[in-house]
Amino acid sequence: MIISIASGKGGTGKTTVALNLALSLPDVQLIDCDVEEPNLHLFLSPRVHRTLSVAIPVPGVDETQCTYCGKCAEVCKFNALAVVKNQILIFPELCHGCGGCSLLCPERAIRETPREIGVIQEGSYNGLAFVQGILNVGEPMPTPIIREEKKLIDRKKTVVLDCSPGTSCPVIEGVRGSDFCLLVTENTPFGLNDLELAVEMVRALGIPTGVFLNRSDLGDRKVKDYCAKENIPLLAELRHDRRIAEVYSRGEIVVEKIPEYRALFLLLFQKIQKIVSGRS
């Protein structure tokens, strides 16, 4: 089963939930899909076994063949090419690697070459299989790295995907194809607003979902009322506990330092299993 962990906004405890859920279960693969700001490795300090480069194809022009007709710039919807008189300008950072310019060049003057945008690391921590993607600083497109990460999914294991916050393209790419998406939120106006956006996203993808309410004893009942109204299962509530904040601030793991919380995550997994089994 593939479980994606997402949240409409940052700071709700998504990474904490993903990490502790993965470490509460046997035979798990944990994948950090927040490639712009991966942080699971800060808690795990995993042993890295393999590092893979991720590149996208960008155009290069043979100006001895180019007639500067402008077809390449016309087809590129991302403005990665521009033709100015007898000169062609290429902006690699804007290129999405779609290959349209090379396919439609009438003179076959464009050849694609790979440009590295980041890396993927495979490793392990106490029997936990771990994968993380790292986008190079200054690169604008995390989605290709997430796509390559997900090619490493081991379908013989329970897979937990820690997605980036929000509802933008990287989140959609991370959540897409999951058997279940767990949305982590909090009892704040921002938490509720962004939860509503995340629910719309997951429903559009046709993925069953449930909510994990963090710091559930703070704030009001609006998140619970929303879940009841929309018929979204509230699968777990985690009350505010200073001990968790202290463990997190030291870069330690909650279920290892406060073992009583392991039961919460085991029960959460059982509820997810039941929903996915019923749907299948």
Side-chain angles (χ1 to χ4, degrees):
M1 183 166 58
I2 301 174
I3 304 170
S4 55
I5 314 292
S7 63
K9 66 181 289 292
T12 60
K14 172 181 55 60
T15 295
T16 301
V17 172
L19 175 64
N20 288 280
L21 175 62
L23 289 173
S24 298
L25 306 173
D27 202 22
V28 173
Q29 183 186 40
L30 177 61
I31 302 180
D32 195 337
C33 292
D34 188 357
V35 302
E36 294 173 271
E37 290 186 285
N39 59 358
L40 285 170
H41 68 282
L42 300 176
F43 299 91
L44 297 172
S45 298
R47 180 180 299 174
V48 176
H49 308 308
R50 182 168 67 147
T51 300
L52 306 171
S53 174
V54 180
I56 61 171
V58 297
V61 178
D62 181 354
E63 298 205 28
T64 63
Q65 293 181 262
C66 180
T67 59
Y68 308 104
C69 66
K71 290 290 184 183
C72 56
E74 181 182 336
V75 74
C76 183
K77 300 304 180 184
F78 306 105
N79 299 312
L81 299 103
V83 178
V84 183
K85 292 186 178 180
N86 291 332
Q87 185 180 11
I88 184 165
L89 305 177
I90 299 174
F91 307 98
E93 292 80 8
L94 298 179
C95 178
H96 282 53
C98 70
C101 57
S102 62
L103 287 171
L104 295 179
C105 176
E107 304 301 328
R108 298 290 186 264
I110 296 179
R111 297 290 183 271
E112 293 178 317
T113 56
R115 183 176 71 85
E116 184 182 274
I117 62 170
V119 297
I120 294 172
Q121 294 178 333
E122 285 188 284
S124 61
Y125 169 82
N126 290 346
L128 174 74
F130 177 70
V131 178
Q132 74 170 357
I134 305 171
L135 183 70
N136 289 346
V137 175
E139 290 293 340
M141 288 193 302
T143 306
I145 296 183
I146 299 169
R147 193 178 298 124
E148 292 300 313
E149 273 187 299
K150 294 179 73 175
K151 291 180 180 179
L152 301 176
I153 285 177
D154 185 350
R155 297 189 178 274
K156 297 177 182 178
K157 298 179 181 290
T158 297
V159 181
V160 177
L161 305 174
D162 182 22
C163 302
S164 51
T167 54
S168 59
C169 293
V171 185
I172 293 171
E173 186 60 44
V175 171
R176 192 197 314 271
S178 303
D179 297 305
F180 189 87
C181 180
L182 181 66
L183 297 175
V184 183
T185 191
E186 60 188 10
N187 272 328
T188 65
F190 291 113
L192 175 58
N193 179 77
D194 294 342
L195 173 64
E196 292 174 356
L197 297 175
V199 167
E200 289 182 24
M201 172 195 70
V202 175
R203 284 177 171 171
L205 294 173
I207 298 172
T209 188
V211 169
F212 185 106
L213 184 56
N214 197 14
R215 297 183 287 271
S216 60
D217 52 331
L218 304 180
D220 51 36
R221 285 192 51 85
K222 290 183 179 179
V223 169
K224 293 182 180 180
D225 292 342
Y226 168 76
C227 291
K229 177 184 174 184
E230 295 294 325
N231 197 28
I232 302 168
L234 183 57
L235 298 179
E237 297 182 40
L238 182 61
R239 295 173 65 84
H240 178 68
D241 188 338
R242 181 183 174 90
R243 294 177 300 165
I244 294 178
E246 291 174 351
V247 168
Y248 191 88
S249 69
R250 293 193 297 266
E252 297 172 339
I253 298 167
V254 173
V255 294
E256 292 183 354
K257 296 299 179 179
I258 317 176
E260 65 198 66
Y261 278 112
R262 194 178 297 270
L264 172 75
F265 291 100
L266 284 172
L267 181 59
L268 169 64
F269 179 70
Q270 291 167 6
K271 290 179 179 179
I272 293 172
Q273 267 188 320
K274 187 175 181 180
I275 293 172
V276 173
S277 298
R279 182 181 174 89
S280 61

